[in-house]
Amino acid sequence: KSWKRAATNRNVKQTPSFHSLPDVHPLIRVVALLLFTTGMALARPVLLAAGSAMLLLLYLLAGFPRMDVLLQMLRRLRWLLLAIFVVYGWWTPGTAALPALGNWSPSSSGLYAGVFRGMALATIVAAVHLLLQLTPRAQLLPAVMQLLRPVCSRAMRERLAVRSVLSIEAVALVQPVVSASLEQQRLRPGGFAALGEAARSVYDLVLERAAQADTAAIEIVELTNPPLWQWLIPLVLAAALYPG
């Protein structure tokens, strides 16, 4: 069976319908995401407020898809967010926010910068999550290929897309295997020796499943060009995020 048919069948079963959102070309969605993330990375308060409001509206129209996954993604970033807050708060020169602490006090400007940088990262993660939920994999990969068309040959674009597909499929297969193996190790003491045994068993099981897997052709179908009027979406977004 071909990749196109298999992906279509999975999307029919797993991808919800979003009747409130317009049918935007996948390439336009990817370009809009790149512009959005660039604007959020500047961590300016006005841009963060506008971007957050825009993202909240899109989530509302989409019906807040898979918020449990988004919360899990943000929870995994909690230490990185804390590190950003500490680095900016305590290593940015400025007026002490807590004068009673003396030299141990963070600066007021550093705390503000840390909060805004953390908000920027969280907003970018939420935007990526929304794109992945709204855009099926069978459309997202060709959209990336189409974006790379001016700088890559067709063979290179296809190779990149195939490797992306295989990587995604491999992660989906390995994750339950690793989770089951780690769950078993919790019930057995043994320290690093037990952890090494778990890694070896996971490796052997992955090789066994790879040997038993059916060979399937991966068909890469390039998308048609988006309608010209849809290019107004990234243009309006760029004008809103980069007014000056």
Side-chain angles (χ1 to χ4, degrees), residues 41-206:
L42 297 176
R44 296 176 182 173
V46 176
L47 294 183
L48 286 174
S52 299
M54 186 185 311
L55 195 59
L56 180 61
L57 177 60
L58 291 177
Y59 266 94
L60 180 63
L61 294 176
F64 295 95
R66 298 303 307 272
M67 295 301 294
D68 56 330
V69 176
L70 175 59
L71 293 177
Q72 184 179 12
M73 294 170 63
L74 294 176
R75 187 164 56 248
R76 291 175 178 175
L77 292 175
R78 62 185 182 276
W79 295 115
L80 177 58
L81 294 173
L82 178 60
I84 292 174
F85 182 77
V86 170
V87 168
Y88 276 92
W90 273 261
W91 272 267
T92 300
T95 305
L98 301 173
L101 297 180
N103 294 332
W104 293 97
S105 172
S107 65
S108 300
S109 58
L111 291 180
Y112 282 117
V115 170
F116 291 144
R117 290 292 176 181
M119 290 178 57
L121 179 59
T123 306
I124 291 173
V125 171
V128 172
H129 169 75
L130 185 62
L131 175 69
L132 294 178
Q133 294 301 317
L134 298 183
T135 309
R137 189 187 308 166
Q139 297 180 5
L140 185 59
L141 292 177
V144 175
M145 289 178 56
Q146 197 169 21
L147 182 65
L148 297 175
R149 182 183 296 175
V151 295
C152 296
S153 64
R154 178 180 177 86
M156 185 177 297
R157 295 197 306 271
E158 290 182 352
R159 188 158 53 247
L160 177 62
V162 168
R163 289 181 179 179
S164 301
V165 172
L166 294 179
S167 299
I168 294 172
E169 296 293 338
V171 170
L173 292 175
V174 170
Q175 278 184 338
V177 175
V178 175
S179 299
S181 179
L182 292 178
E183 188 66 28
Q184 292 177 0
Q185 293 305 317
R186 291 176 184 173
L187 304 178
R188 297 184 311 194
F192 289 105
L195 186 60
E197 181 64 23
R200 188 182 66 82
S201 63
V202 169
Y203 179 76
D204 293 339
L205 186 55
V206 169

